[in-house]
Amino acid sequence: MLALVLDTATPAVTAALVQDGQVLARRVTVDARAHAEVLTPSLQACLVEAGVAAAELDVIVCGTGPGPYTGLRVGMVTAAAWGDALGVGVHGVCSLDGIAGHSAAADHPGELLVVTDARRREVYWARYVDGVRTEGPGVCAPVAVELGAATAVAGSATHAALLGLPVLGPEHPDPAALARAAGLTAADLTAVPPPFLPRYLRRPDAVPPPGAGRP
């Protein structure tokens, strides 16, 4: 199964081609302000590097957040557009699963927390046991994250360090882990995909000024 994998829920713009669990090509650009400019060229570069035509893709897997509104929307709109143009299914995956599923985190025994930057001095978080999400995603201030039985934290190193637990990698969703988290089988390629919906968890930062739109 050949999957085009992308995620824009964190400051990293991630694009990759993953076939049967193996990453054929990837591009990761860490720039919270360049999602729209970087994503499509990164996807195209992956196709060229792997020597794959877009028409050969079987499926598209996209991180659905949680993440800031603008960046997350860029990735999801791009995934939906490519899926529609190519006639392939688009499957959404919680972006935090793409961090917890990386080998550095997934091999951690016991309970793991994953946190990413939610801005407004808050973090997005989720709790995992043996690589399986058991709680979340949610959003709150770092001091409000309940540590529970967690013995390590993965994700944004700056924010993870605030929790006082050992910090594991990676900081951003791993494309192979995102593909695994989708859990796709051959039957899924011909079935109607589940609803492709974003995990914003809160309202966007940008709002119209008072009186906007009034005559």
Side-chain angles (χ1 to χ4, degrees):
M1 183 183 302
L2 180 60
L4 181 67
V5 180
L6 58 148
D7 187 276
T8 57
T10 72
V13 183
T14 299
L17 284 174
V18 179
Q19 185 168 39
D20 300 328
Q22 299 299 314
V23 177
L24 304 183
R26 79 173 75 197
R27 294 289 187 278
V28 179
T29 303
V30 181
D31 188 338
R33 298 180 181 274
H35 292 83
E37 294 81 4
V38 170
L39 181 57
T40 295
S42 294
L43 295 173
Q44 294 170 332
C46 286
L47 291 170
V48 171
E49 179 181 334
V52 171
E56 297 178 64
L57 296 172
D58 296 312
V59 69
I60 295 174
V61 175
C62 179
T64 58
Y69 181 83
T70 301
L72 181 58
R73 182 176 59 179
V74 168
M76 295 193 66
V77 168
T78 300
W82 278 58
D84 183 64
L86 298 172
V88 299
V90 180
H91 294 260
V93 177
C94 176
S95 298
L96 302 184
D97 293 357
I99 296 176
H102 185 276
S103 59
D107 292 342
H108 174 75
E111 193 166 290
L112 173 76
L113 283 170
V114 173
V115 297
T116 57
D117 185 10
R119 303 178 184 173
R120 303 183 189 177
R121 299 182 180 179
E122 293 182 326
V123 294
Y124 297 115
W125 64 270
R127 191 181 308 277
Y128 296 81
V129 176
D130 298 330
V132 178
R133 178 157 38 95
T134 59
E135 187 180 1
V139 59
C140 64
V143 295
V145 176
E146 296 185 7
L147 300 184
T151 55
V153 58
S156 171
T158 301
H159 299 83
L162 299 176
L163 302 184
L165 295 173
V167 179
L168 308 176
E171 288 204 48
H172 311 295
D174 175 71
L178 286 170
R180 286 194 300 271
L184 299 176
T185 66
D188 293 315
L189 300 183
T190 56
V192 177
F196 184 52
L197 302 172
R199 303 171 186 263
Y200 291 130
L201 301 191
R202 66 184 185 198
R203 300 178 67 84
D205 293 329
V207 296
R214 294 179 182 175

